[in-house]
Amino acid sequence: MLKKGLLLSLVVLLAGVLLIGCGETEGTPDAEPGSLEGRYVGYSWRGEAGGTTLEEADRYIETILELDEDGIIQDAKMRFFVQVDGYWTTRQAGQAYVDVDFSVDPTAAVPGEDYEQGDSMFTVYTVDMMSLYTAAVDSDGTVAAAIVDPVLRYLHEMKFPADFDFDRTVGELTIGSGLAVPTTRTSGSGLIRPDNWDDLADNTLFDVSPWSHVLTDEGAMAGISDSSTVQELLEALGVEFVDGVPQEMDAVSGRFGLGGWDGNFNAIADYLIGQDATEYTSLIDWSVERYSANIDEDNQFGLDTESGATRTVQDSIDGISGATVRLSRESTSYQRALVNAGIISEADVIIGRF
């Protein structure tokens, strides 16, 4: 088997090596005086609040706006660049290499400060695990499936023998049942960071939080609920059944909901098109008290949390653009494009948590 570093490099190369220059952009050379027509680029980057420069950063967000003469956004792009194994690629790159070891019986990770990974059937190499799902069926009909839930940020693994009763409901796949096992923490920044599994033993990955709805509101698992059958869930993940029997297949993978980072950032871009950039000067309404109370004298958000303030500005499918991302850093990048266009000044930019 190829070593992890090489495999991850291959994933990145398949995604495309996308290093974009960071120079300033200008309006259209022959535009009328006072016209805003042109292409403008803005950035936010990790470490900015601590003094890291854009050139030194190992990840950054780029926003590209095309404005007409009145400042109406004609086109928008937003991309999240990261360095992986020395290569630049985008966090939106959805390709994944997945290998399954059916001989493994998944065991739960030990959560909390002394986190320990459990036994996992899956080897996954991808730029980012956000919204990932995968499934495979062995030659004997054994099904292996896994979903990265958006709230706990754990890989929940399911292993079913061919004679499993696939008419059982998704509601039976509780964390305490042993049927959907949180084996691997994919991010340390989950909305809920459990110290143990006992408190969530009766929950499924579809109902650990009110925000769990982003799993099933749209996309691959649209309409799946605790009352759905396990077969319906597995079919949504790509497993084919014939007369109730799962059919052999190699591992497949995808991104649920809006489609991971790519879907989220495309949703933000789609939302921006048609907006008047002279009026829509931030992705976030910073006048909201729980946000404004957390902006320091250097216009940095989320560093010195005051009592009752929030460290995160996050909208879900119910809010701006359907995105399920932390919008403060994306807003910084958007505002910097407006600075480039001369619509706002650098002093107006709120530096969001990256």
Side-chain angles (χ1 to χ4, degrees):
M1 180 179 289
L2 292 174
K3 291 184 178 179
K4 179 178 178 180
L6 178 56
L7 280 170
L8 189 52
S9 296
L10 289 173
V11 170
V12 174
L13 287 171
L14 284 171
V17 181
L18 300 172
L19 178 59
I20 305 299
C22 299
E24 294 184 358
T25 56
E26 300 178 352
T28 304
D30 57 354
E32 293 294 326
S35 171
L36 290 171
E37 184 178 1
R39 178 177 180 270
Y40 305 97
V41 184
Y43 298 94
S44 63
W45 58 92
R46 185 158 75 172
E48 178 180 2
T52 300
T53 66
L54 176 58
E55 291 72 23
E56 296 168 336
D58 61 357
R59 56 183 57 194
Y60 62 89
I61 295 172
E62 175 186 68
T63 299
I64 303 174
L65 302 177
E66 300 278 354
L67 306 183
D68 70 7
E69 60 183 7
D70 297 317
I72 306 301
I73 301 173
Q74 304 299 300
D75 194 19
K77 293 182 178 65
M78 186 173 286
R79 296 180 286 193
F80 196 140
F81 287 90
V82 295
Q83 261 192 350
V84 181
D85 285 351
Y87 295 97
W88 280 102
T89 186
T90 62
R91 203 169 182 179
Q92 292 105 301
Q95 291 91 338
Y97 167 85
V98 180
D99 188 39
V100 184
D101 184 349
F102 286 94
S103 70
V104 174
D105 292 323
T107 62
V110 177
E113 292 185 6
D114 298 322
Y115 166 78
E116 294 180 13
Q117 181 175 330
D119 297 315
S120 174
M121 298 180 288
F122 292 90
T123 300
V124 181
Y125 299 124
T126 187
V127 174
D128 194 274
M129 294 286 281
M130 179 179 173
S131 303
L132 181 78
Y133 68 84
T134 183
V137 182
D138 204 3
S139 58
D140 65 358
T142 300
V143 179
I147 301 170
V148 177
D149 88 279
V151 176
L152 305 176
R153 301 291 184 90
Y154 274 80
L155 183 71
H156 297 256
E157 301 190 23
M158 295 159 276
K159 184 179 183 181
F160 306 113
D163 61 355
F164 182 82
D165 180 4
F166 293 101
D167 286 330
R168 294 176 67 175
T169 64
V170 170
E172 297 179 63
L173 306 181
T174 61
I175 290 173
S177 70
L179 297 174
V181 184
T183 64
T184 308
R185 187 172 66 191
T186 62
S187 170
S189 59
L191 181 63
I192 297 176
R193 305 175 191 180
D195 292 321
N196 63 76
W197 297 120
D198 293 341
D199 295 340
L200 296 169
D202 295 331
N203 295 94
T204 70
L205 75 163
F206 298 101
D207 67 6
V208 294
S209 159
W211 298 106
S212 298
H213 68 85
V214 300
L215 273 159
T216 56
D217 279 342
E218 60 184 290
M221 290 185 286
I224 296 294
S225 70
D226 281 351
S227 62
S228 301
T229 66
V230 173
Q231 178 172 331
E232 289 171 332
L233 170 61
L234 294 174
E235 286 175 334
L237 302 183
V239 177
E240 181 182 356
F241 284 78
V242 175
D243 296 327
V245 178
Q247 302 299 294
E248 180 181 4
M249 71 175 201
D250 294 332
V252 297
S253 64
R255 309 282 171 162
F256 59 77
L258 288 175
W261 282 106
D262 187 50
N264 278 313
F265 275 18
N266 285 340
I268 293 173
D270 290 344
Y271 179 86
L272 288 174
I273 295 172
Q275 297 280 357
D276 184 342
T278 66
E279 296 181 357
Y280 194 74
T281 56
S282 172
L283 300 184
I284 297 162
D285 179 1
W286 292 109
S287 67
V288 175
E289 185 177 356
R290 63 194 178 102
Y291 300 155
S292 60
N294 206 11
I295 300 172
D296 67 17
E297 59 185 10
D298 297 317
N299 268 8
Q300 297 172 341
F301 170 76
L303 295 184
D304 304 311
T305 304
E306 297 181 17
S307 176
T310 180
R311 291 174 58 83
T312 299
V313 178
Q314 181 160 334
D315 259 307
S316 79
I317 198 168
D318 302 318
I320 178 176
S321 77
T324 53
V325 293
R326 295 178 179 178
L327 286 168
S328 55
R329 57 193 174 188
E330 286 76 17
S331 184
T332 303
S333 176
Y334 171 71
Q335 286 191 301
R336 287 263 168 68
L338 301 187
V339 171
N340 228 340
I343 293 173
I344 63 175
S345 70
E346 179 64 26
D348 298 315
V349 175
I350 305 298
I351 300 174
R353 290 185 66 227
F354 205 104

